[in-house]
């Protein structure tokens, strides 16, 4: 990471949440629209500090996922809640890739984003994806993530949503045809 990134992350202790960038602020939208770059895993200490602050942020915001660019760091890292696992642990995905997906897409109901508060919409997603990422322990994971039901499991959709953030893509770019955005209650 660059010096200014290290300073930004290290400015506060690991119990201090980040401020989540919003699309309504032009300077913040610019960061949210920037494509992120891979991380060097040798930056171990700063990565740990960064991940801890992201975890605190995710809890405070009550989200199911958060991506590095949402707090001002254009790097390929996000957190996603494993709603498909016992106890719903938070998983860290460093330098993630989507390596395979079906041709067909589904319309996922009720997508939303911490950077677009008060807005929800139905988004076009793949019903499953094969992914690769490095986890918090530094292990490269390869697995299939499935699920697109709000009521049941939608971990595959969470991963797709967060992965999009790393490309500068927002869920509002992927709304199902003739499916207007609605304001949440
Ligand atoms: Zn989001």
């Amino acid at each position: 990471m660059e010096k200014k990134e290290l300073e930004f992350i290290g400015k506060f202790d690991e119990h201090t949440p980040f401020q989540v960038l919003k699309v309504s602020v032009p300077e913040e939208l610019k960061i949210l629209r920037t494509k992120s770059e891979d991380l060097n895993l040798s930056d171990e200490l700063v990565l740990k500090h960064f991940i801890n602050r992201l975890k605190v942020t995710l809890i405070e915001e009550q989200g199911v996922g958060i991506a590095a660019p949402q707090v001002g760091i254009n790097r390929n890292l996000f957190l996603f809640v494993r709603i498909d696992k016992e106890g719903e642990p938070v998983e860290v995905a460093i330098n993630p890739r989507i390596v395979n997906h079906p041709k067909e897409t589904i319309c996922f109901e009720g997508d939303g984003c911490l950077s677009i508060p008060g807005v929800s919409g139905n988004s076009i997603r793949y019903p499953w994806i094969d992914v690769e990422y490095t986890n918090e322990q530094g292990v490269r994971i390869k697995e299939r993530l499935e699920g697109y039901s709000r009521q049941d499991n939608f971990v595959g959709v969470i991963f797709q949503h967060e992965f999009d953030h790393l490309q500068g893509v927002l869920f509002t770019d992927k709304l199902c045809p003739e499916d207007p955005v609605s304001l949440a209650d």
Side-chain angles (χ1 to χ4, degrees):
M1 279 196 243
E2 287 172 27
K3 191 161 174 270
K4 63 171 188 183
E5 293 174 301
L6 301 178
E7 282 173 359
F8 179 79
I9 292 165
K11 196 172 172 189
F12 297 101
D13 70 33
E14 59 182 359
H15 308 292
T16 308
F18 290 105
Q19 260 195 323
V20 176
L21 307 192
K22 304 290 193 297
V23 293
S24 53
V25 182
E27 313 81 89
E28 298 184 1
L29 180 61
K30 203 179 155 203
I31 294 169
L32 289 166
R33 285 304 193 185
T34 301
K35 194 172 164 20
S36 290
E37 292 175 18
D38 271 349
L39 276 160
N40 187 338
L41 291 168
S42 64
D43 291 331
E44 249 177 83
L45 276 178
V46 70
L47 265 180
K48 194 173 186 309
H49 193 85
F50 185 36
I51 289 164
N52 284 337
R53 289 194 65 191
L54 278 172
K55 282 180 178 171
V56 175
T57 311
L58 186 62
I59 291 165
E60 186 178 85
E61 300 279 339
Q62 298 182 314
V64 290
I66 191 166
Q70 287 184 279
V71 300
I73 298 288
N74 282 120
R75 294 287 176 176
N76 289 332
L77 184 153
F78 60 75
L79 271 52
F80 65 113
V81 177
R82 292 305 301 249
I83 55 172
D84 58 330
K85 285 187 178 174
E86 182 77 37
E88 306 196 345
V90 172
E91 194 103 69
V92 179
I94 303 166
N95 301 341
R97 304 282 186 266
I98 294 176
V99 295
N100 195 19
H101 59 74
K103 281 199 193 102
E104 53 161 340
T105 55
I106 52 92
C107 184
F108 175 68
E109 286 183 28
D111 210 339
C113 184
L114 299 177
S115 295
I116 318 174
V119 175
S120 82
N122 303 336
S123 59
I124 299 166
R125 301 293 179 188
Y126 297 113
W128 59 262
I129 45 173
D130 286 333
V131 302
E132 286 185 27
Y133 59 92
T134 299
N135 71 10
E136 206 176 351
Q137 285 73 41
V139 179
R140 194 72 181 165
I141 305 289
K142 296 182 184 188
E143 63 179 331
R144 178 165 293 189
L145 297 176
E146 297 176 301
Y148 48 89
S149 161
R150 267 270 161 213
Q151 287 71 41
D152 184 17
N153 171 33
F154 56 100
V155 72
V157 172
I158 300 173
F159 195 100
Q160 289 172 71
H161 178 118
E162 301 311 328
F163 185 83
D164 277 349
H165 273 300
L166 309 182
Q167 323 308 315
V169 172
L170 302 166
F171 86 91
T172 44
D173 300 331
K174 295 196 157 177
L175 295 176
C176 306
E178 295 172 43
D179 216 0
V181 174
S182 68
L183 294 174
D185 297 329

